[in-house]
Amino acid sequence: MATSAIGPVDLTVEPDLQPLYPTPAQISDLLSPNVGLSPSQKAELVTHSLVRACVFADITLLSFLLSDPQAQAFVDLSKQDEDGLGLISIAILGFGSESERDIEREECVRLLVSEGCYVNTADYAGWTPLHYASLLSPPTLVSYLLTHGSSPLALTRRRLTPLDIVTAHSTVPGREDVALLLEEAMREAGWKGGRMEEQRRSLEKRMRRLRKRRHVQEDIERTLGINPKWWGDDDTFFSLDSEEEAEDDALPDSVLTPPPDFSSMLVFSPMSLPDIFQSLITDFPPSLRNAEPANALYMLARFACLNCDHNWVEDLVIGATDAIEDVFFSHAEDPTYLIFWLYNTTVWLHLMRCDNAISRTCENLGSLALIEEILNSVFVFIIRFAERRIDALLDAALLDYSPLSSEFEAIQFESEWSFLRSFGAGKKKANGTASNANTVRGAPPTSPTQSSRPPSPPAQPSTSPPDVRTFASFRQTFSRTRPPSTSTPIQSLFGDPQQPPPTSPKDVISFMTALHTLLILSGINPALVTQFWSQVMYWTACEIFNRVLTRKKYLCRSRAVQISMNLGVIEEWISNMELPRGVGSHFAPVHDLLNWLQCLSSITEFANLIATIQTMKHLNPLQMRRAVRDYKYEVNEGRMTEECNQYLAQLQKDWERHRVKMGVEQLRKELGEREREREESISASPSLHDVPIGSDQASSISQEGSAAQRSIDALFDRTQEKLLWEPAKAPDPLGELLDSRFMLPLLLPSDPRMLGALPTKPSSLDDEKRVGVRLSVDGSSRSESRASFGNRGAMGWRFSKQLREIGPSTLQYVDGSRAAARWTRPVELEEDDADKPPPPYSSDDPNEESGELKIDTGAVHLTALTRAPSGRSRGRASVANGTPIDQNGDALIS
């Protein structure tokens, strides 16, 4: 039997290279040469022991591994586990599990850092030791890591810094000190704010804007008398604020022309229109930038156009425009109603014109012309409101206010009794404000000798000019015996401390700024805002011109300088509000008149007169002659030569003949237009008599209108500067006075999409510092500001998608006043109304037999339906026939 040889069996125990609780003695024994471990086995043992020392915070073992000569050769401080955690992160993760060993754990971290362990080692999730330390370790260790190279700006894979982890939505309880340390370290590293910090700053910025807007709103409420409910709540502000920050592009055609389904319509019956108008228009509370009425009327019109006949469309549009007109006629003194319906009529017209499915039908029926007419009417009402408010301040603020009162008071006139000036000056200062408040535009101009206007030095009759020098020397004798400033302390002692400050250009600026900001915040179309201020400035320029020319107290060079300085404040306001420069071009005749008053007394040669007249392009000979005839000369002021006076008189006669000729031509033109209109009303068919009589004049008028239309369209061209905009020109005056009643034509942009454009945020809300108007005396500084940023660049405008947003709450207005009450309380119908069937609604077909359905207008109270468009006259023509002050007195221009 064969026997097999069995070799010797090695029964020695393999050394444990991964002990559960390694000790320095065990590690030292295993690393000795007697054990015979290979270098790889020794490295595995040391690495495992190093990780266990960090896990259990065994400072003794860790110190041994880092200092023992045999183990030191196998220490790898860059070791990472299967999750990518480094040695420092492994040590930090043990904080809190064994609080009694937190001190030893912190010492372990410090020892690792001191031995050169990298402090910014990130795991597979991007977390560095500082991320873990910010949540777990005490603030002392966080500070130690920050001072030894840890980056506070390190980001995880989810873009989180250590501060973001600690603060999150709110600071982790007990980690406030750590958050403070991290924030300061990040700021030193150039940090401007993390995610949470950005949210906090964003909220603070929005709150600052809210406080600034509230401050602006309070100013507008105080100046214009607006109800605080007009602005809505804070949520409304935040929604508008976020809308203004978003840049919306032009809407696509699919949005402008919705599909012909009932999702973009509101169904109604003709019998319910009166109730709809009552709740949607008459009783609708106005609020800031609320386009619910416009959107509801547009959706009603879509249903009438696409599913019904022309009778429904006409009845809807005519009834709605009549109701809107009744609303702003009854609230002519409330700017919120006027601006609210100007905004809604503009949006309604925009929606109707942009919808290709109904625009042509409404155009043929004349419905769009009716909407334009009502828009024109409410636009005129806002202009009249502004004119009335400015008229109450015009005399005291722009004509009588003196920026350099001390210098102007020393001026003496030849027609004055100089010894009465000291008494009149004190009375003027005491009673100047009260007298100015009672000034009414439209009252006939008073003569310079009347005492009803004390703001300027009263022109008392003088017996003879030679006595002036005698009384002047008499006054100088008294002035040498007493201090010249004695009157000021006496007036301050006995004056009323509660007396308000005198009216100044600042009051006019405050009103115009409040109204302009209200128009911008309300979303009025930028083209309408520009034309609105163009019309207001035209009226203001005409009134200033007429009052200066017809009141002798203003016809002097000192008053001309004073009025020019006050007028410069208005022109600077135009620049500060970033309006086109053409808005202030209406003041050109006023500037020519004031310049003429300042230089006419110094013209002593005929050649100088000719050169001066050629520069006065906005004055006619009648106006120049009137200013020279009623001019108020100062003491020792030069006079125009007799040769120059005779030349002006000859120019006046020539102009009178030219005036008569132009008047006859204008009369013929008006008669021809009336005859042509009468023939067109008799027969709508074309004939030879329909040819315009004045074809050349008509072509020139059409060319001017097309130029003005191109100028309006250029406002929405972002490649053109707004300073190129020029307003429509008023007719040149043939007489002495300007026609302040003339209304410049209101032009709408040719592109219907531009009707939905909104203005950009006003500078008073956009900038950190509100735009202020400097009432400086130096004209040079004001002119530099006027030529600066205000008129440069294109006009700011933007689109908004929220313009077309409409919610379910609108149904409470569309369902009518009776059904709207069901949203708050039930409505009980009367028994007769519940059993009565609705009356029928028929067409107006003349071929219809008598036995078919007909409308009972007596029972339904609807507007009689007609196939022809409404023949109602334009709103502006009916309103603009008289000035808004004519109700209180006669107009200045007779």
Side-chain angles (χ1 to χ4, degrees):
M1 180 176 180
T3 60
S4 61
I6 299 176
V9 178
D10 187 6
L11 300 177
T12 59
V13 180
E14 288 288 338
D16 186 7
L17 300 181
Q18 295 183 353
L20 185 60
Y21 297 102
T23 60
Q26 182 182 5
I27 299 301
S28 177
D29 182 63
L30 291 175
L31 293 177
S32 63
N34 300 328
V35 178
L37 295 179
S38 64
S40 59
Q41 291 177 330
K42 291 181 180 180
E44 181 181 357
L45 174 63
V46 173
T47 301
H48 171 77
S49 301
L50 193 62
V51 172
R52 300 299 291 178
C54 294
V55 171
F56 294 109
D58 191 345
I59 186 63
T60 304
L61 177 61
L62 184 61
S63 301
F64 169 77
L65 294 174
L66 296 176
S67 60
D68 184 69
Q70 296 181 0
Q72 197 172 17
F74 302 100
V75 171
D76 182 12
L77 295 179
S78 62
K79 171 65 178 176
Q80 293 179 278
D81 64 2
E82 61 275 8
D83 294 326
L85 291 172
L87 296 177
I88 299 179
S89 299
I90 293 174
I92 292 175
L93 284 174
F95 278 103
S97 59
E98 297 179 9
S99 58
E100 65 276 1
R101 300 191 60 86
D102 283 351
I103 297 178
E104 290 81 359
R105 192 172 296 276
E106 183 174 350
E107 291 299 324
C108 290
V109 175
R110 292 174 182 267
L111 181 59
L112 289 172
V113 174
S114 63
E115 291 295 330
C117 187
Y118 186 55
V119 295
N120 289 320
T121 301
D123 58 10
Y124 297 150
W127 285 55
T128 64
L130 188 60
H131 285 88
Y132 293 109
S134 62
L135 280 176
L136 302 173
S137 64
T140 54
L141 182 57
V142 174
S143 177
Y144 179 83
L145 292 175
L146 290 172
T147 55
H148 286 76
S150 292
S151 174
L153 302 179
L155 298 176
T156 65
R157 294 180 61 182
R158 296 189 177 183
R159 313 293 298 175
L160 296 175
T161 63
L163 181 61
D164 293 335
I165 294 174
V166 175
T167 55
H169 297 287
S170 61
T171 305
V172 177
R175 313 303 293 177
E176 292 82 3
D177 296 339
V178 175
L180 182 60
L181 288 172
L182 293 172
E183 183 175 355
E184 292 300 325
M186 294 174 70
R187 293 187 187 280
E188 293 178 359
W191 174 72
K192 301 298 183 180
R195 180 185 301 178
M196 298 297 107
E197 181 70 12
E198 289 179 0
Q199 293 180 1
R200 182 180 63 83
R201 288 187 177 184
S202 176
L203 180 59
E204 291 180 354
K205 184 178 180 181
R206 297 180 70 183
M207 295 305 296
R208 285 196 303 268
R209 287 200 300 265
L210 177 60
R211 288 192 295 268
K212 182 180 293 185
R213 182 179 284 254
R214 284 177 177 173
H215 178 68
V216 173
Q217 291 175 359
E218 291 175 358
D219 292 344
I220 296 176
E221 292 172 7
R222 182 173 56 255
T223 304
L224 302 180
I226 292 179
N227 191 337
K229 295 181 179 179
W230 158 264
W231 308 106
D233 52 8
D234 294 344
D235 295 336
T236 303
F237 161 71
F238 284 125
S239 62
L240 294 178
D241 187 67
S242 59
E243 174 193 353
E244 291 171 353
E245 292 180 353
E247 290 291 338
D248 294 332
D249 298 330
L251 298 177
D253 294 337
S254 60
V255 178
L256 299 176
T257 305
D261 53 23
F262 286 96
S263 62
S264 60
M265 303 179 192
L266 289 176
V267 181
F268 70 96
S269 65
M271 286 67 68
S272 63
L273 282 180
D275 289 335
I276 293 177
F277 295 152
Q278 182 71 25
S279 60
L280 187 62
I281 299 176
T282 305
D283 298 336
F284 195 92
S287 58
L288 180 66
R289 209 179 295 182
N290 186 356
E292 280 186 320
N295 281 276
L297 291 173
Y298 162 67
M299 297 177 74
L300 291 170
R302 275 184 59 85
F303 171 73
C305 286
L306 300 179
N307 297 278
C308 307
D309 59 5
H310 66 279
N311 291 324
W312 292 56
V313 179
E314 286 192 339
D315 207 28
L316 171 66
V317 175
I318 294 175
T321 52
D322 287 339
I324 294 174
E325 189 175 23
D326 293 339
V327 169
F328 64 76
F329 260 93
S330 58
H331 298 86
E333 296 297 330
D334 192 343
T336 58
Y337 276 89
L338 301 179
I339 293 176
F340 174 78
W341 285 111
L342 177 63
Y343 173 70
N344 273 273
T345 50
T346 307
V347 175
W348 186 20
L349 183 62
H350 159 70
L351 298 175
M352 298 280 283
R353 283 197 176 278
C354 290
D355 193 340
N356 297 327
I358 64 174
S359 60
R360 179 164 306 210
T361 302
C362 295
E363 183 73 29
N364 295 334
L365 292 176
S367 301
L368 298 181
L370 285 178
I371 302 176
E372 292 179 0
E373 175 185 337
I374 210 67
L375 188 152
N376 200 359
S377 298
V378 68
F379 181 77
V380 173
F381 266 70
I382 302 177
I383 292 175
R384 298 309 188 197
F385 169 79
E387 290 177 357
R388 287 191 292 270
R389 294 292 299 270
I390 297 177
D391 180 76
L393 303 170
L394 192 60
D395 284 350
L398 298 180
L399 299 180
D400 295 331
Y401 178 77
S402 177
L404 302 174
S405 57
S406 59
E407 297 184 9
F408 288 127
E409 284 180 359
I411 298 175
Q412 301 178 17
F413 296 95
E414 293 183 355
S415 60
E416 276 189 331
W417 293 83
S418 57
F419 74 93
L420 296 176
R421 290 175 56 86
S422 59
F423 301 100
K427 184 177 181 181
K428 177 188 67 176
K429 292 180 180 180
N431 302 328
T433 304
S435 63
N436 293 336
N438 297 329
T439 304
V440 178
R441 185 180 79 90
T446 58
S447 63
T449 58
Q450 293 180 353
S451 59
S452 60
R453 298 184 182 273
S456 61
Q460 301 293 341
S462 175
T463 56
S464 60
D467 294 338
V468 175
R469 295 186 179 182
T470 304
F471 286 116
S473 61
F474 183 70
R475 180 174 182 268
Q476 294 172 1
T477 303
F478 274 98
S479 64
R480 287 194 295 268
T481 60
R482 63 178 183 179
S485 60
T486 306
S487 59
T488 303
I490 293 178
Q491 292 179 3
S492 62
L493 289 175
F494 296 98
D496 186 7
Q498 302 296 331
Q499 183 178 1
T503 305
S504 66
K506 185 178 180 181
D507 298 321
V508 180
I509 294 301
S510 299
F511 166 74
M512 293 195 303
T513 303
L515 184 57
H516 180 72
T517 307
L518 182 61
L519 292 172
I520 298 299
L521 293 178
S522 301
I524 302 301
N525 190 276
L528 296 181
V529 174
T530 301
Q531 294 180 85
F532 168 78
W533 287 117
S534 177
Q535 178 65 49
V536 172
M537 294 305 164
Y538 169 77
W539 175 88
T540 305
C542 292
E543 287 297 318
I544 293 177
F545 185 94
N546 295 339
R547 299 184 193 193
V548 170
L549 192 61
T550 57
R551 299 175 186 176
K552 190 174 181 180
K553 66 177 181 179
Y554 300 132
L555 295 176
C556 59
R557 60 184 181 183
S558 59
R559 282 300 183 95
V561 173
Q562 166 187 319
I563 296 173
S564 296
M565 297 172 64
N566 297 335
L567 199 60
V569 178
I570 305 298
E571 294 177 332
E572 185 181 6
W573 177 87
I574 295 175
S575 176
N576 290 336
M577 294 295 108
E578 303 181 10
L579 293 170
R581 186 180 299 174
V583 173
S585 63
H586 300 294
F587 290 105
V590 183
H591 284 300
D592 285 352
L593 177 60
L594 297 177
N595 292 334
W596 176 249
L597 293 175
Q598 295 179 50
C599 68
L600 67 88
S601 61
S602 61
I603 298 177
T604 57
E605 297 182 1
F606 183 76
N608 294 338
L609 176 63
I610 298 300
T612 303
I613 291 178
Q614 290 178 352
T615 60
M616 305 295 177
K617 298 181 180 180
H618 300 89
L619 293 181
N620 60 43
L622 293 180
Q623 297 164 346
M624 294 183 180
R625 181 63 177 168
R626 173 71 178 267
V628 174
R629 185 183 68 233
D630 296 339
Y631 187 77
K632 190 177 180 182
Y633 288 92
E634 300 174 5
V635 175
N636 298 327
E637 184 179 0
R639 293 177 180 269
M640 187 177 295
T641 61
E642 185 63 25
E643 181 185 8
C644 296
N645 281 323
Q646 291 179 0
Y647 180 75
L648 288 177
Q650 184 61 37
L651 287 180
Q652 179 182 0
K653 294 179 182 179
D654 296 341
W655 184 263
E656 289 287 355
R657 290 192 293 268
H658 174 70
R659 178 184 179 185
V660 172
K661 180 180 177 181
M662 295 297 296
V664 172
E665 293 180 358
Q666 184 68 22
L667 181 60
R668 289 177 179 175
K669 180 180 177 181
E670 293 180 358
L671 292 176
E673 290 178 354
R674 293 179 182 177
E675 182 68 22
R676 187 167 59 256
E677 290 176 358
R678 184 170 67 253
E679 292 177 357
E680 290 177 354
S681 62
I682 295 176
S683 175
S685 60
S687 63
L688 296 177
H689 300 285
D690 293 334
V691 179
I693 297 177
S695 58
D696 296 338
Q697 293 151 345
S699 61
S700 63
I701 294 175
S702 62
Q703 291 177 0
E704 293 178 0
S706 60
Q709 184 64 54
R710 288 194 300 269
S711 182
I712 288 294
D713 294 336
L715 286 176
F716 297 95
D717 188 354
R718 299 187 188 274
T719 61
Q720 297 189 14
E721 293 191 356
K722 60 187 174 184
L723 59 85
L724 301 177
W725 179 81
E726 291 293 337
K729 301 298 182 182
D732 295 331
L734 299 178
E736 293 180 349
L737 304 181
L738 303 181
D739 186 8
S740 61
R741 300 178 181 180
F742 180 79
M743 294 296 298
L744 302 175
L746 175 61
L747 300 175
L748 301 177
S750 301
D751 189 352
R753 295 175 299 175
M754 294 298 107
L755 284 172
L758 301 179
T760 55
K761 188 185 301 182
S763 56
S764 57
L765 295 176
D766 193 14
D767 300 334
E768 289 296 328
K769 185 176 181 181
R770 292 189 63 187
V771 177
V773 178
R774 293 171 293 133
L775 301 178
S776 59
V777 178
D778 187 5
S780 60
S781 62
R782 180 178 293 115
S783 62
E784 292 174 359
S785 174
R786 193 180 308 134
S788 61
F789 70 93
N791 301 114
R792 298 294 179 183
M795 184 184 67
W797 57 273
R798 60 185 178 82
F799 288 116
S800 175
K801 295 180 180 178
Q802 298 183 3
L803 192 69
R804 294 172 171 266
E805 291 184 356
I806 183 171
S809 60
T810 309
L811 295 176
Q812 62 178 321
Y813 302 108
V814 178
D815 288 342
S817 56
R818 295 184 181 180
R822 298 194 184 100
W823 289 72
T824 55
R825 60 180 178 83
V827 177
E828 296 181 359
L829 298 177
E830 299 179 2
E831 296 181 358
D832 298 338
D833 295 339
D835 299 335
K836 184 185 302 183
Y841 191 78
S842 66
S843 65
D844 60 345
D845 190 357
N847 299 324
E848 191 177 48
E849 297 182 1
S850 59
E852 296 184 359
L853 297 177
K854 294 183 180 180
I855 183 171
D856 186 1
T857 56
V860 185
H861 302 289
L862 284 177
T863 306
L865 301 179
T866 173
R867 185 177 297 275
S870 174
R872 188 174 53 186
S873 61
R874 301 284 295 185
R876 175 171 290 187
S878 61
V879 178
N881 289 334
T883 59
I885 313 298
D886 291 343
Q887 299 176 358
N888 299 329
D890 297 334
L892 183 62
I893 304 174
S894 58

